[in-house]
Amino acid sequence: YFARGEMPDIWRIPGGNGHIKGHKAVFPVDLASRAIAGWTRPGDLILDPFCGSGTTCVAAKKLGRNYIGIDISPEYCAIARKRLEAVDTGVPVKEADAGQMPMFPNEIP
């Protein structure tokens, strides 16, 4: 990521998050990560009042920022919670839903 004040005007971000069933506005975690890394510091608070499936919160968590995500949809909030849990466990949502567990669960913060 870029240091403060060194953010380019045009970002080239390949790919996306893939498809999240029923969600029409999924965007790449890398997009949120670049913005958060470029304009905040570790420990800062990130607010996403329309968090949907939690992409901004996932990026914030991975970068050591605090976050608050709000969404009107209980279904999207459930998806966001699963994605945030996957950051902690290292087990992707799809695999966790299939029953996979972390290899070393006692080492999870």
Side-chain angles (χ1 to χ4, degrees), residues 21-95:
K21 186 177 180 181
H23 198 294
K24 297 178 182 176
V26 178
F27 62 95
V29 173
D30 196 35
L31 176 61
S33 296
R34 287 187 190 191
I36 291 168
W39 291 304
T40 67
R41 294 183 176 109
D44 281 356
L45 178 62
I46 307 299
L47 171 64
D48 186 350
F50 310 100
C51 73
S53 62
T55 299
T56 301
C57 297
V58 167
K61 186 170 194 159
K62 287 181 174 183
L63 292 169
R65 274 56 167 184
N66 298 302
Y67 57 88
I68 298 172
I70 303 166
D71 202 275
I72 194 169
S73 167
E75 292 82 12
Y76 286 172
C77 289
I79 292 168
R81 281 192 289 279
K82 285 182 176 184
R83 292 181 71 203
L84 289 163
E85 183 179 340
V87 173
D88 287 337
T89 64
V91 179
V93 173
K94 186 175 180 179
E95 284 80 358

